[in-house]
Amino acid sequence: MDSKGKKILIADDEPDILEILSYNLNKEGYEIITAKDGDDAIQKSKLFKPDLIMLDVMMPNKNGMEVCKLLRSQPAYQDTLIIFLTALSDEVSHVKGLEYGADDFISKPVSPKILVTKINTLFRRVQKPDDTALKAGNIVIDPVKFVVTVDGEDIVLAKKEFELLHLLATKPGRVFLRNEILSQIWGTEVIVGDRTIDVHIRKIRQKLGIDCITTVKGVGYKMVV
Amino acid sequence: MDSKGKKILIADDEPDILEILSYNLNKEGYEIITAKDGDDAIQKSKLFKPDLIMLDVMMPNKNGMEVCKLLRSQPAYQDTLIIFLTALSDEVSHVKGLEYGADDFISKPVSPKILVTKINTLFRRVQKPDDTALKAGNIVIDPVKFVVTVDGEDIVLAKKEFELLHLLATKPGRVFLRNEILSQIWGTEVIVGDRTIDVHIRKIRQKLGIDCITTVKGVGYKMVV
DNA sequence: GTCCATACTTAACAATATGTTTACGCAAAA
DNA sequence: TTTTGCGTAAACATATTGTTAAGTATGGAC
């Protein structure tokens, strides 16, 4: 579930369209938010921070183009994927849409297959690996090779363990609240218990063999230098 | 960036398209030259010696195919990258384009992100000429002879298997995300399932007999050194 | 062109690694 | 002493990959 669990906002004034799109994308594991017009789309974008926004070109209260232009002008939406829903032959919208920073177009009537394929592909494109190796004392954390090295010896961590250690190592010495850890590693969507963090911390300590993570009772964890 | 500062010639009869493409590629640091038809494209190619040429299929005064054929017939343009701009569903152009020596295709309407990604990828591909044999431990991968040698013994791999192994071997130890693998080996057009990668990995492991590829669960694969 | 061999892809299922919860014990603070 | 928070281990659930087999292209020989 890497490209999934993403949030998609769909804005269209026709309830039928909304339903069809929602159904098909929801089935694929995406979380769907719907909006019925331009203003609604802007509001809900700010509220839910979707990863992808589908805009009907023709909508009441600000059409798709206007919404796109407005969102793209803000830094927070620079990397958000934006797709337009257009009539099949609407070349003008295509050209204009591109100027406003659209990433793709889907023509009505919408084929569920093309829809899903396009969206999966788009998400696939934007993912890129983080490539800054971190060092904390005698520990080296290398996201490129996905290995942790202690005193020159490679240690294999599971994904979550690695992410957790990497997070702590971004600011050695700084305390990370349990809440921070949860939202950074697990995201706001998934809800996991507090014990889950403990268990991962324990495994990291166990695998690394050295005591590099300190517990700050009632607060969180930090990396020692 | 080392793949930048390159010259790109864009040939299309629609000024809007020219402008959009120019804008996005220029932003990436490429130097852009535009041409409005086939003859213009040929002239400016000779004049500016671009590193990459984007040709609209439908153009006045020699269409994209003709231009491609003509340029490719000259030794000077043997190694120039040529990309076609095609309508989304234009399968015929794809087939013909490949015959004439196209390096890739971009479907209209053009997504800026995909455009930039593709072009960056293409330059990266040619930057490291494929004629250097790679070595990783006791494995030698020779793209010229298309053979893999383990401890002096030749092993025959299928095309996809070879490409996959070669990709991993370009940066031994580095983790390649499944996404990266998909876009590097399969490209942006084709969409294949995740299991497909596994199967190829399996075959490589089986044929080589040695354990040179490590699985990083939830992340991807990497070559061990 | 047809046939054949090979490679590629997909789907179903098995195996395994990973993530999460639970229950309990311990220790420090109130 | 009671309470609170954390550590631990095992049980459980889930996710991800490995494997197999069968279907689908693809390209070459004839």
Side-chain angles (χ1 to χ4, degrees):
Chain A
M1 235 200 229
D2 222 24
S3 69
K4 301 308 164 65
K6 300 256 187 185
K7 279 178 286 187
I8 299 178
L9 171 70
I10 311 174
D12 199 313
D13 54 332
E14 294 176 63
D16 291 338
I17 302 276
L18 282 183
E19 198 175 329
I20 294 167
L21 298 181
S22 299
Y23 171 75
N24 283 290
L25 290 170
N26 193 42
K27 209 169 54 180
E28 280 288 302
Y30 294 105
E31 187 184 330
I32 309 298
I33 304 132
T34 58
K36 61 181 189 305
D37 61 39
D39 284 331
D40 196 15
I42 292 172
Q43 258 199 345
K44 290 191 173 152
S45 293
K46 290 181 180 168
L47 207 57
F48 295 105
K49 307 275 173 205
D51 303 284
L52 185 149
I53 301 173
M54 292 179 67
L55 297 168
D56 187 27
V57 176
M58 308 288 243
M59 278 189 299
N61 303 321
K62 292 198 179 61
N63 66 36
M65 296 290 164
E66 293 174 288
V67 176
C68 177
K69 191 176 173 185
L70 213 146
L71 290 177
R72 271 284 191 261
S73 68
Q74 297 177 31
Y77 298 96
Q78 214 67 49
D79 294 325
T80 307
L81 293 167
I82 297 182
I83 290 183
F84 279 113
L85 289 165
T86 63
L88 187 58
S89 54
D90 189 356
E91 282 297 327
V92 184
S93 292
H94 279 192
V95 175
K96 281 182 114 178
L98 286 171
E99 281 172 11
Y100 291 152
D103 293 295
D104 209 344
F105 300 85
I106 292 183
S107 329
K108 291 180 179 179
V110 179
S111 143
K113 240 190 188 159
I114 292 189
L115 171 79
V116 167
T117 303
K118 275 205 174 185
I119 289 194
N120 283 336
T121 308
L122 269 180
F123 275 125
R124 206 167 80 189
R125 294 267 77 73
V126 294
Q127 282 189 4
K128 54 180 172 240
D130 178 5
D131 56 354
T132 42
L134 296 173
K135 272 202 287 187
N138 48 357
I139 305 172
V140 181
I141 302 165
D142 187 345
V144 175
K145 299 184 175 177
F146 210 86
V147 278
V148 174
T149 311
V150 179
D151 295 327
E153 196 177 346
D154 282 7
I155 292 170
V156 181
L157 296 184
K159 196 181 169 198
K160 282 278 189 300
E161 293 160 18
F162 188 89
E163 288 173 349
L164 183 42
L165 181 64
H166 185 268
L167 174 66
L168 295 180
T170 51
K171 293 186 182 297
R174 196 205 131 176
V175 181
F176 286 83
L177 312 183
R178 297 180 99 88
N179 289 336
E180 280 182 291
I181 295 174
L182 283 176
S183 57
Q184 287 284 327
I185 309 287
W186 278 269
T188 48
E189 308 298 307
V190 246
I191 298 164
V192 294
D194 262 7
R195 285 316 102 236
T196 306
I197 300 180
D198 303 356
V199 174
H200 282 100
I201 291 283
R202 183 184 167 278
K203 285 191 182 159
I204 294 171
R205 285 173 171 157
Q206 191 174 302
K207 284 188 181 176
L208 294 198
I210 56 176
D211 189 28
C212 59
I213 299 175
T214 306
T215 307
V216 184
K217 275 205 169 186
V219 186
Y221 297 94
K222 69 174 177 182
M223 192 129 186
V224 291
V225 280
Chain B
M1 282 281 181
D2 41 352
S3 70
K4 300 308 162 64
K6 303 254 184 183
K7 279 178 284 186
I8 299 178
L9 170 70
I10 311 174
D12 199 312
D13 54 332
E14 294 176 63
D16 290 336
I17 301 275
L18 281 182
E19 196 177 330
I20 294 161
L21 298 179
S22 299
Y23 171 75
N24 283 290
L25 290 171
N26 193 43
K27 207 169 56 179
E28 281 288 302
Y30 294 106
E31 187 182 330
I32 309 298
I33 305 129
T34 58
K36 61 182 190 305
D37 60 38
D39 284 330
D40 195 15
I42 291 172
Q43 258 199 346
K44 289 189 174 154
S45 293
K46 290 181 179 169
L47 207 56
F48 295 105
K49 307 277 173 202
D51 303 284
L52 185 149
I53 302 174
M54 291 178 67
L55 297 168
D56 187 27
V57 175
M58 309 288 243
M59 278 189 303
N61 305 321
K62 294 200 179 61
N63 67 35
M65 295 289 164
E66 293 174 291
V67 176
C68 177
K69 193 175 172 184
L70 213 146
L71 290 177
R72 273 283 192 259
S73 69
Q74 298 177 31
Y77 299 96
Q78 216 66 51
D79 294 326
T80 308
L81 293 168
I82 298 182
I83 291 183
F84 278 112
L85 289 165
T86 63
L88 187 58
S89 52
D90 188 358
E91 284 298 326
V92 184
S93 291
H94 276 207
V95 175
K96 281 183 118 178
L98 284 173
E99 280 173 11
Y100 290 154
D103 293 293
D104 207 345
F105 301 86
I106 291 183
S107 326
K108 290 182 180 180
V110 180
S111 149
K113 276 199 179 138
I114 292 190
L115 169 79
V116 167
T117 305
K118 272 203 176 184
I119 290 195
N120 284 338
T121 307
L122 268 180
F123 274 125
R124 203 175 315 132
R125 204 176 293 163
V126 294
Q127 195 182 16
K128 187 176 277 177
D130 266 1
D131 54 5
T132 45
L134 295 173
K135 273 201 285 186
N138 47 357
I139 305 172
V140 181
I141 302 165
D142 188 339
V144 177
K145 300 179 184 171
F146 207 83
V147 227
V148 175
T149 312
V150 179
D151 295 328
E153 195 177 345
D154 282 9
I155 291 171
V156 181
L157 295 184
K159 193 178 163 209
K160 282 277 187 298
E161 293 159 17
F162 188 88
E163 287 173 351
L164 185 41
L165 181 64
H166 184 267
L167 174 65
L168 295 181
T170 51
K171 293 182 183 296
R174 203 209 119 163
V175 177
F176 287 83
L177 311 185
R178 297 181 100 87
N179 293 333
E180 287 181 284
I181 295 173
L182 284 175
S183 49
Q184 288 284 328
I185 309 285
W186 277 268
T188 52
E189 308 290 305
V190 218
I191 291 166
V192 294
D194 267 4
R195 285 311 105 246
T196 305
I197 300 179
D198 303 355
V199 174
H200 283 100
I201 290 281
R202 180 179 171 279
K203 288 198 178 150
I204 295 171
R205 285 173 172 157
Q206 195 173 303
K207 286 188 180 175
L208 294 197
I210 56 176
D211 188 26
C212 59
I213 299 174
T214 306
T215 307
V216 183
K217 274 213 167 185
V219 186
Y221 295 93
K222 69 175 175 182
M223 192 130 185
V224 291
V225 279

